[in-house]
Amino acid sequence: MIATIYRVTLRTQAKKGRLAALALLGIVGVVVGLAVGLSDVEDPIRAATNMINAFGLSLYAPVVTLVFASASLGDPAEDGTLVYLWLRPVPRWQIVAGTYLATLTVALPLVLVSLVLAAVLSNAGHGLVPGTLVSATLAVVAYGGIFTWLGLRVRRALVWGLAYILLWEGFVASAGKSASRLAVRAYTRSVLTKFTDVDLKLANVSPFFAVTVPIAIGIVWAALTVRRLRRAEVA
């Protein structure tokens, strides 16, 4: 049943217009990466790392994941089609697993192709490419769990998700070391720092936790989505 839910969700998520718009946004990062590679900056690895952090980990990865994850269960819930799946004798965890995997299938290639290509074109070296690959993957995994739950929990999940990305992670959670531990980007930028040796603000999480916490976040929020789906009155 997971495979069926996965295929159905994948078809509804992978709309040409949505993919094209997000791919165009990703091209912005590629162009900036190329600009860094062609420029004569004094410290290219720092400039490129800051670019991946500011555009890729703080904006592109969470926004792309938000668009697909919030729609995976949010769209069926809003248009009333989720009831047909909800009424079937299907374990709720299989529904969430299928939709979550579909989100990863669509979001990961978009995010990784754009950001890794930007890192390559920046010509900065010093671990930037593998650092971008690992940190961006962890970002999509974590945000995928959070925004799948959000799409099922609230209406207009895109608005609430953008508020979370821009206000909570962008400002509130950046206020200090303790608050930053409640933001996904503190862990992903710590991974990027470990690969590039470029200090980033509040990127002070140990390598073990920088990798394991985003994975745990994705799993925990997916579990919360299962719990919500079991208790929700969809019909």
Side-chain angles (χ1 to χ4, degrees):
M1 193 61 189
I2 293 178
T4 301
I5 296 170
Y6 169 83
R7 288 194 297 269
V8 172
T9 306
L10 201 58
R11 284 200 301 268
T12 58
Q13 285 187 333
K15 297 177 180 178
K16 292 181 179 180
R18 183 182 291 171
L19 291 171
L22 293 172
L24 286 174
L25 180 59
I27 290 174
V28 174
V30 174
V31 171
V32 174
L34 179 60
V36 171
L38 295 176
S39 65
D40 192 22
V41 294
E42 183 177 343
D43 192 348
I45 181 61
R46 179 171 296 277
T49 301
N50 285 331
M51 180 271 296
I52 293 296
N53 173 52
F55 174 78
L57 302 182
S58 301
L59 178 65
Y60 190 60
V63 168
V64 169
T65 311
L66 168 64
V67 169
F68 293 113
S70 63
S72 63
L73 289 173
D75 284 358
E78 289 193 13
D79 63 23
T81 57
L82 183 60
V83 65
Y84 300 110
L85 184 59
W86 189 80
L87 290 174
R88 298 186 67 178
V90 180
R92 299 304 185 241
W93 72 266
Q94 292 189 13
I95 298 175
V96 175
T99 54
Y100 182 51
L101 290 174
T103 294
L104 297 184
T105 300
V106 181
L108 271 175
L110 273 174
V111 171
L112 294 184
V113 168
S114 298
L115 298 187
V116 171
L117 184 57
V120 170
L121 293 176
S122 71
N123 200 29
H126 293 84
L128 181 63
V129 173
T132 299
L133 179 65
V134 175
S135 59
T137 299
L138 291 172
V140 173
V141 168
Y143 288 121
I146 295 172
F147 295 140
T148 299
W149 174 86
L150 187 67
L152 183 63
R153 186 66 180 81
V154 302
R155 291 183 178 273
R156 298 183 179 179
L158 277 177
V159 176
W160 286 100
L162 287 173
Y164 168 81
I165 294 167
L166 299 176
L167 298 179
W168 176 257
E169 293 217 345
F171 293 99
V172 178
S174 297
K177 181 178 178 180
S178 298
S180 71
R181 298 301 173 91
L182 301 176
V184 173
R185 71 178 61 172
Y187 300 93
T188 56
R189 69 174 51 166
S190 293
V191 171
L192 189 61
T193 290
K194 296 303 183 293
F195 275 91
T196 63
D197 291 326
V198 174
D199 290 330
L200 297 170
K201 183 181 179 181
L202 301 176
N204 48 20
V205 181
S206 69
F208 175 78
F209 288 109
V211 172
T212 57
V213 169
I215 296 173
I217 289 173
I219 294 172
V220 168
W221 283 96
L224 290 173
T225 307
V226 174
R227 182 173 179 266
R228 173 65 185 174
L229 197 58
R230 284 172 178 165
R231 297 187 174 189
E233 292 294 334
V234 177

XYZ file of all heavy atoms in Angstrom, residues 89-175:
647
model
N -9.094 0.628 5.221
C -8.382 -0.024 6.337
C -6.871 -0.074 6.080
O -6.271 -1.148 5.945
C -8.997 -1.429 6.363
C -9.398 -1.682 4.943
C -9.857 -0.353 4.396
N -6.289 1.102 6.016
C -4.855 1.212 5.766
C -4.185 1.759 7.023
O -4.645 2.771 7.576
C -4.573 2.174 4.583
C -3.077 2.290 4.337
C -5.294 1.711 3.329
N -3.140 1.135 7.512
C -2.428 1.688 8.666
C -1.981 3.120 8.388
O -1.447 3.417 7.310
C -1.222 0.746 8.824
C -1.670 -0.542 8.197
C -2.555 -0.137 7.054
N -2.226 3.998 9.341
C -1.932 5.420 9.118
C -0.451 5.671 8.853
O -0.087 6.589 8.127
C -2.408 6.237 10.326
C -3.915 6.139 10.589
C -4.714 6.550 9.362
N -6.148 6.573 9.644
C -7.034 5.814 9.023
N -6.642 4.923 8.120
N -8.309 5.911 9.305
N 0.405 4.854 9.434
C 1.835 5.066 9.214
C 2.220 4.817 7.764
O 3.159 5.445 7.252
C 2.664 4.184 10.159
C 2.667 2.709 9.823
C 1.844 1.756 10.324
C 3.540 2.039 8.900
N 2.133 0.525 9.790
C 3.175 0.668 8.910
C 4.590 2.447 8.083
C 3.829 -0.278 8.124
C 5.250 1.509 7.299
C 4.864 0.168 7.330
N 1.485 3.936 7.078
C 1.775 3.690 5.668
C 1.398 4.890 4.802
O 2.078 5.195 3.822
C 1.039 2.435 5.201
C 1.542 1.150 5.825
C 0.945 -0.090 5.200
O 0.319 -0.035 4.140
N 1.136 -1.234 5.845
N 0.319 5.561 5.171
C -0.070 6.772 4.440
C 1.015 7.840 4.571
O 1.444 8.444 3.588
C -1.418 7.312 4.968
C -2.531 6.291 4.748
C -1.766 8.638 4.296
C -3.864 6.699 5.349
N 1.465 8.058 5.802
C 2.492 9.071 6.043
C 3.819 8.675 5.395
O 4.503 9.510 4.797
C 2.672 9.294 7.558
C 3.831 10.250 7.823
C 1.387 9.846 8.163
N 4.177 7.401 5.495
C 5.431 6.943 4.893
C 5.429 7.155 3.382
O 6.416 7.620 2.802
C 5.661 5.469 5.218
N 4.309 6.812 2.728
C 4.224 6.982 1.281
C 4.333 8.435 0.859
O 5.045 8.774 -0.101
N 3.642 9.328 1.582
C 3.677 10.748 1.222
C 5.036 11.379 1.543
O 5.537 12.208 0.784
C 2.564 11.513 1.959
O 2.664 11.270 3.370
C 1.191 11.054 1.496
N 5.631 10.973 2.666
C 6.938 11.505 3.052
C 8.015 11.089 2.048
O 8.844 11.899 1.628
C 7.272 11.018 4.457
C 8.576 11.535 5.022
C 8.879 12.888 5.014
C 9.504 10.669 5.590
C 10.070 13.359 5.550
C 10.687 11.120 6.128
C 10.966 12.480 6.106
O 12.151 12.941 6.635
N 7.989 9.836 1.631
C 8.958 9.362 0.642
C 8.761 10.062 -0.702
O 9.735 10.357 -1.404
C 8.828 7.846 0.477
C 9.308 6.999 1.661
C 8.981 5.524 1.422
C 10.810 7.175 1.878
N 7.520 10.331 -1.059
C 7.255 11.049 -2.306
C 7.830 12.464 -2.242
O 8.398 12.967 -3.224
C 5.754 11.099 -2.580
N 7.694 13.103 -1.091
C 8.262 14.443 -0.905
C 9.776 14.423 -1.079
O 10.345 15.268 -1.779
C 7.905 14.980 0.493
O 6.500 15.175 0.578
C 8.620 16.296 0.769
N 10.427 13.452 -0.452
C 11.881 13.341 -0.586
C 12.289 13.084 -2.031
O 13.296 13.630 -2.514
C 12.413 12.221 0.311
C 12.224 12.381 1.821
C 12.890 11.217 2.554
C 12.797 13.700 2.313
N 11.514 12.276 -2.734
C 11.835 11.926 -4.120
C 11.812 13.150 -5.023
O 12.622 13.268 -5.952
C 10.847 10.870 -4.646
O 10.936 9.707 -3.829
C 11.156 10.500 -6.092
N 10.887 14.064 -4.767
C 10.782 15.255 -5.612
C 11.715 16.361 -5.133
O 12.392 17.013 -5.937
C 9.325 15.778 -5.630
C 9.214 16.999 -6.533
C 8.378 14.702 -6.101
N 11.750 16.593 -3.818
C 12.495 17.730 -3.287
C 14.015 17.533 -3.334
O 14.758 18.467 -3.663
C 12.057 18.014 -1.845
N 14.477 16.333 -3.009
C 15.926 16.110 -2.949
C 16.640 16.387 -4.274
O 17.650 17.100 -4.283
C 16.227 14.686 -2.470
C 16.346 14.495 -0.959
C 16.516 13.023 -0.617
C 17.504 15.308 -0.396
N 16.169 15.855 -5.419
C 16.871 16.154 -6.666
C 16.910 17.643 -6.995
O 17.946 18.157 -7.435
C 16.077 15.371 -7.717
C 15.412 14.284 -6.956
C 15.090 14.871 -5.625
N 15.791 18.336 -6.780
C 15.768 19.774 -7.062
C 16.798 20.517 -6.217
O 17.577 21.332 -6.734
C 14.374 20.338 -6.771
C 13.332 20.281 -7.887
C 11.987 20.759 -7.357
C 13.755 21.130 -9.075
N 16.799 20.229 -4.932
C 17.695 20.923 -4.023
C 19.152 20.554 -4.279
O 20.025 21.428 -4.403
C 17.316 20.612 -2.557
C 18.377 21.142 -1.594
C 15.955 21.212 -2.224
N 19.424 19.267 -4.396
C 20.815 18.823 -4.519
C 21.440 19.218 -5.851
O 22.600 19.653 -5.888
C 20.901 17.308 -4.327
C 20.536 16.797 -2.935
C 20.744 15.287 -2.845
C 21.352 17.499 -1.856
N 20.701 19.079 -6.932
C 21.264 19.449 -8.241
C 21.642 20.925 -8.257
O 22.745 21.308 -8.674
C 20.275 19.123 -9.373
C 20.736 19.763 -10.685
C 20.142 17.620 -9.555
N 20.735 21.775 -7.794
C 20.991 23.218 -7.819
C 22.154 23.609 -6.903
O 23.071 24.332 -7.315
C 19.729 23.983 -7.398
O 18.672 23.756 -8.292
N 22.122 23.129 -5.670
C 23.132 23.565 -4.709
C 24.498 22.930 -4.948
O 25.523 23.603 -4.804
C 22.648 23.260 -3.284
C 21.369 23.982 -2.855
C 21.088 23.736 -1.376
C 21.457 25.471 -3.136
N 24.520 21.658 -5.304
C 25.814 21.021 -5.589
C 26.445 21.632 -6.840
O 27.657 21.871 -6.885
C 25.643 19.500 -5.743
C 26.933 18.867 -6.258
C 25.260 18.866 -4.408
N 25.620 21.925 -7.847
C 26.146 22.575 -9.047
C 26.687 23.964 -8.716
O 27.746 24.369 -9.221
C 25.056 22.676 -10.113
C 25.470 23.241 -11.477
C 26.614 22.430 -12.079
C 24.279 23.266 -12.430
N 25.977 24.693 -7.857
C 26.463 26.004 -7.431
C 27.803 25.875 -6.708
O 28.711 26.687 -6.906
C 25.430 26.673 -6.525
N 27.925 24.844 -5.864
C 29.173 24.627 -5.140
C 30.316 24.275 -6.089
O 31.442 24.761 -5.928
C 28.989 23.514 -4.107
N 30.022 23.452 -7.091
C 31.050 23.077 -8.065
C 31.505 24.294 -8.857
O 32.708 24.530 -9.056
C 30.509 21.984 -9.008
C 31.477 21.757 -10.169
C 30.282 20.679 -8.255
N 30.545 25.089 -9.333
C 30.874 26.249 -10.162
C 31.575 27.350 -9.387
O 32.256 28.197 -9.970
C 29.601 26.806 -10.807
C 28.938 25.899 -11.846
C 27.639 26.516 -12.350
C 29.886 25.647 -13.011
N 31.417 27.337 -8.064
C 32.116 28.341 -7.258
C 33.624 28.112 -7.253
O 34.395 29.018 -6.923
C 31.597 28.321 -5.817
O 32.017 27.145 -5.142
N 34.025 26.887 -7.600
C 35.442 26.544 -7.714
C 36.200 26.816 -6.415
O 37.368 27.193 -6.429
C 36.085 27.337 -8.870
C 37.376 26.698 -9.350
O 37.559 25.491 -9.261
N 38.286 27.517 -9.850
N 35.499 26.591 -5.285
C 36.105 26.910 -3.985
C 36.854 25.734 -3.379
O 37.793 25.927 -2.613
C 35.021 27.392 -3.015
N 36.436 24.513 -3.718
C 37.116 23.344 -3.170
C 36.967 23.240 -1.665
O 35.955 23.642 -1.094
N 37.970 22.678 -0.995
C 38.030 22.588 0.467
C 36.781 21.961 1.076
O 36.276 22.412 2.097
C 38.261 23.975 1.072
C 39.602 24.554 0.773
N 39.858 25.225 -0.413
C 40.760 24.564 1.487
C 41.108 25.641 -0.423
N 41.684 25.238 0.708
N 36.267 20.920 0.453
C 35.153 20.190 1.044
C 33.790 20.816 0.850
O 32.804 20.343 1.429
N 33.690 21.870 0.041
C 32.398 22.553 -0.114
C 31.365 21.655 -0.792
O 30.199 21.643 -0.381
C 32.570 23.838 -0.928
C 31.283 24.646 -1.140
C 30.733 25.135 0.194
C 31.515 25.808 -2.086
N 31.760 20.908 -1.806
C 30.803 20.078 -2.543
C 30.232 18.966 -1.658
O 29.006 18.842 -1.537
C 31.436 19.503 -3.823
C 30.496 18.497 -4.487
C 31.746 20.633 -4.802
N 31.059 18.132 -1.011
C 30.468 17.117 -0.128
C 29.734 17.738 1.060
O 28.716 17.209 1.512
C 31.664 16.287 0.341
C 32.857 17.138 0.088
C 32.527 17.968 -1.095
N 30.221 18.862 1.564
C 29.538 19.536 2.655
C 28.157 20.015 2.248
O 27.190 19.909 3.025
N 28.058 20.529 1.032
C 26.761 20.965 0.513
C 25.837 19.772 0.329
O 24.651 19.833 0.684
C 26.947 21.687 -0.832
O 27.780 22.845 -0.641
C 25.608 22.114 -1.422
N 26.360 18.693 -0.199
C 25.562 17.497 -0.434
C 24.977 16.949 0.872
O 23.770 16.673 0.954
C 26.422 16.427 -1.116
C 25.753 15.082 -1.413
C 24.633 15.249 -2.417
C 26.792 14.083 -1.938
N 25.803 16.812 1.887
C 25.347 16.230 3.152
C 24.403 17.180 3.879
O 23.331 16.773 4.348
C 26.552 15.876 4.045
C 26.077 15.388 5.413
C 27.427 14.825 3.386
N 24.769 18.440 4.001
C 23.951 19.390 4.764
C 22.602 19.625 4.099
O 21.572 19.708 4.782
C 24.691 20.719 4.940
O 25.017 21.308 3.689
N 22.560 19.710 2.768
C 21.295 19.929 2.068
C 20.391 18.702 2.180
O 19.168 18.833 2.318
C 21.554 20.270 0.602
N 20.975 17.514 2.126
C 20.183 16.289 2.292
C 19.547 16.239 3.671
O 18.357 15.939 3.815
C 21.063 15.049 2.078
O 21.601 15.060 0.751
C 20.257 13.770 2.280
N 20.324 16.554 4.685
C 19.796 16.558 6.051
C 18.698 17.608 6.219
O 17.710 17.389 6.921
C 20.923 16.822 7.042
C 21.961 15.703 7.182
C 23.137 16.169 8.034
C 21.333 14.459 7.802
N 18.856 18.750 5.550
C 17.839 19.800 5.627
C 16.509 19.312 5.065
O 15.448 19.510 5.674
C 18.313 21.043 4.873
N 16.541 18.670 3.913
C 15.308 18.187 3.281
C 14.651 17.107 4.139
O 13.426 17.078 4.298
C 15.593 17.659 1.865
C 14.350 16.999 1.268
C 16.060 18.793 0.964
N 15.457 16.217 4.713
C 14.915 15.160 5.572
C 14.199 15.752 6.778
O 13.080 15.343 7.133
C 16.043 14.215 6.028
C 15.566 13.284 7.139
C 16.563 13.397 4.848
N 14.824 16.729 7.431
C 14.226 17.336 8.626
C 12.989 18.157 8.281
O 11.926 17.987 8.889
C 15.260 18.210 9.332
N 13.118 19.054 7.312
C 11.985 19.902 6.944
C 10.836 19.079 6.360
O 9.668 19.448 6.516
C 12.418 20.959 5.943
C 13.287 22.053 6.518
C 14.564 22.291 6.014
C 12.824 22.860 7.563
C 15.363 23.295 6.530
C 13.624 23.858 8.089
C 14.896 24.082 7.567
O 15.684 25.084 8.083
N 11.166 17.977 5.715
C 10.117 17.132 5.162
C 9.173 16.614 6.231
O 7.951 16.603 6.054
N 9.726 16.203 7.362
C 8.891 15.731 8.461
C 8.063 16.846 9.071
O 6.862 16.691 9.318
N 8.700 17.998 9.301
C 8.004 19.131 9.916
C 6.847 19.610 9.051
O 5.716 19.802 9.532
C 8.983 20.294 10.164
C 10.046 19.891 11.195
C 8.235 21.538 10.629
C 11.167 20.904 11.351
N 7.104 19.789 7.766
C 6.099 20.411 6.902
C 5.025 19.426 6.435
O 3.939 19.848 6.041
C 6.780 21.083 5.722
C 7.655 22.245 6.121
C 8.884 22.465 5.501
C 7.258 23.103 7.131
C 9.686 23.525 5.872
C 8.061 24.172 7.525
C 9.284 24.389 6.892
N 5.317 18.126 6.486
C 4.247 17.153 6.245
C 3.213 17.249 7.349
O 1.999 17.260 7.100
C 4.810 15.721 6.171
O 5.736 15.628 5.079
C 3.689 14.712 5.938
N 3.685 17.334 8.591
C 2.773 17.521 9.728
C 2.018 18.837 9.612
O 0.801 18.900 9.833
C 3.568 17.495 11.026
C 2.748 17.819 12.238
C 2.004 16.955 12.992
C 2.582 19.104 12.843
N 1.378 17.626 14.016
C 1.715 18.948 13.945
C 3.080 20.385 12.546
C 1.336 20.021 14.757
C 2.704 21.452 13.352
C 1.840 21.265 14.444
N 2.723 19.902 9.253
C 2.102 21.219 9.170
C 0.992 21.246 8.124
O -0.070 21.844 8.353
C 3.158 22.272 8.827
C 2.695 23.729 8.858
C 2.364 24.146 10.286
C 3.775 24.641 8.273
N 1.222 20.591 6.990
C 0.214 20.569 5.938
C -1.065 19.883 6.372
O -2.160 20.261 5.929
N -0.945 18.882 7.228
C -2.124 18.187 7.730
C -2.771 18.943 8.876
O -3.988 18.876 9.071
C -1.728 16.780 8.207
C -2.852 15.879 8.709
C -3.854 15.564 7.595
C -2.282 14.582 9.284
N -1.966 19.694 9.616
C -2.451 20.327 10.854
C -3.185 21.645 10.609
O -4.160 21.939 11.311
C -1.254 20.579 11.789
C -1.649 21.106 13.172
C -2.426 20.070 13.924
N -2.820 20.522 15.251
C -3.871 21.301 15.519
N -4.640 21.718 14.522
N -4.167 21.652 16.738
N -2.739 22.454 9.657
C -3.324 23.787 9.490
C -3.680 24.047 8.026
O -3.117 23.452 7.105
C -2.351 24.895 9.961
C -1.979 24.696 11.414
C -1.096 24.934 9.092
N -4.607 24.957 7.825
C -4.895 25.460 6.494
C -3.879 26.538 6.157
O -3.291 27.153 7.039
C -6.320 26.026 6.430
C -7.407 24.950 6.539
C -8.785 25.557 6.394
N -9.832 24.533 6.445
C -10.254 23.852 5.400
N -9.732 24.089 4.201
N -11.204 22.937 5.530
N -3.687 26.762 4.849
C -2.696 27.739 4.396
C -1.326 27.423 4.992
O -0.640 28.287 5.551
C -3.125 29.156 4.747
C -4.421 29.575 4.069
C -4.777 31.004 4.384
N -6.010 31.395 3.712
C -6.577 32.592 3.823
N -6.001 33.511 4.585
N -7.690 32.871 3.173
N -0.933 26.169 4.853
C 0.332 25.725 5.439
C 1.532 26.438 4.826
O 2.554 26.613 5.488
C 0.480 24.212 5.257
N 1.429 26.852 3.565
C 2.537 27.573 2.936
C 2.839 28.862 3.687
O 4.003 29.215 3.899
C 2.213 27.876 1.468
C 2.475 26.767 0.459
C 2.024 27.205 -0.933
C 3.945 26.376 0.433
N 1.792 29.570 4.072
C 1.976 30.833 4.798
C 2.614 30.581 6.158
O 3.577 31.248 6.555
C 0.633 31.561 4.964
C 0.813 32.823 5.811
C 0.041 31.909 3.606
N 2.086 29.597 6.876
C 2.635 29.268 8.191
C 4.071 28.741 8.074
O 4.926 29.039 8.918
C 1.763 28.232 8.881
C 0.470 28.795 9.387
C -0.754 28.700 8.799
C 0.282 29.565 10.576
N -1.708 29.352 9.539
C -1.099 29.893 10.642
C 1.125 29.997 11.596
C -1.638 30.642 11.687
C 0.596 30.743 12.644
C -0.769 31.059 12.677
N 4.327 27.954 7.025
C 5.674 27.430 6.831
C 6.680 28.521 6.531
O 7.802 28.517 7.050
N 6.288 29.478 5.696
C 7.180 30.602 5.390
C 7.433 31.444 6.640
O 8.543 31.940 6.849
C 6.583 31.462 4.282
C 6.614 30.850 2.882
C 5.830 31.723 1.901
C 8.055 30.678 2.389
N 6.394 31.598 7.453
C 6.574 32.338 8.715
C 7.574 31.625 9.616
O 8.430 32.262 10.249
C 5.232 32.491 9.420
N 7.484 30.301 9.659
C 8.436 29.520 10.461
C 9.863 29.703 9.933
O 10.804 29.941 10.702
C 8.049 28.042 10.432
C 9.107 27.124 10.986
C 9.245 26.942 12.359
C 9.985 26.452 10.134
C 10.229 26.121 12.877
C 10.967 25.620 10.640
C 11.093 25.457 12.013
O 12.080 24.653 12.508
N 10.023 29.604 8.615
C 11.357 29.705 8.016
C 11.957 31.094 8.222
O 13.118 31.241 8.626
C 11.288 29.379 6.507
C 10.916 27.915 6.294
C 12.627 29.685 5.829
C 10.533 27.598 4.858
N 11.165 32.124 7.938
C 11.690 33.486 7.963
C 11.746 34.091 9.357
O 12.723 34.760 9.713
C 10.843 34.377 7.046
C 10.817 33.972 5.565
C 9.862 34.867 4.786
C 12.216 34.030 4.965
N 10.695 33.843 10.149
C 10.626 34.487 11.454
C 11.295 33.665 12.551
O 12.179 34.155 13.255
C 9.165 34.763 11.829
C 8.420 35.715 10.888
C 6.986 35.900 11.346
C 9.133 37.060 10.797
N 10.878 32.395 12.677
C 11.454 31.592 13.758
C 12.924 31.263 13.497
O 13.792 31.630 14.281
C 10.663 30.302 13.961
C 11.315 29.421 14.996
C 12.064 28.317 14.775
C 11.311 29.642 16.411
N 12.531 27.817 15.968
C 12.080 28.613 16.986
C 10.733 30.602 17.235
C 12.283 28.514 18.350
C 10.930 30.501 18.611
C 11.709 29.468 19.152
N 13.196 30.598 12.383
C 14.578 30.192 12.129
C 15.449 31.380 11.729
O 16.643 31.390 11.985
C 14.614 29.115 11.048
C 13.991 27.801 11.480
C 14.730 26.597 10.933
O 15.534 26.763 10.007
O 14.492 25.489 11.447
N 14.845 32.373 11.080
C 15.635 33.509 10.616
C 15.974 34.512 11.695
O 17.040 35.133 11.649
N 15.072 34.669 12.675
C 15.288 35.707 13.678
C 15.299 35.163 15.107
O 16.299 35.270 15.814
C 14.206 36.788 13.540
C 14.312 37.578 12.266
C 13.507 37.271 11.183
C 15.226 38.607 12.142
C 13.605 37.988 10.005
C 15.340 39.328 10.970
C 14.526 39.026 9.894
N 14.197 34.572 15.531
C 14.071 34.161 16.933
C 15.133 33.144 17.313
O 15.850 33.296 18.311
C 12.662 33.603 17.206
C 12.558 33.137 18.657
C 11.607 34.645 16.906
N 15.258 32.082 16.509
C 16.197 31.009 16.844
C 17.648 31.398 16.597
O 18.559 30.655 16.974
C 15.853 29.749 16.039
N 17.865 32.558 15.988
C 19.233 33.028 15.758
C 19.699 33.984 16.839
O 20.785 34.564 16.752
C 19.322 33.728 14.390
O 19.031 32.822 13.349
N 18.869 34.150 17.874
C 19.183 35.120 18.911
C 20.305 34.657 19.836
O 21.003 35.469 20.433
C 17.932 35.435 19.727
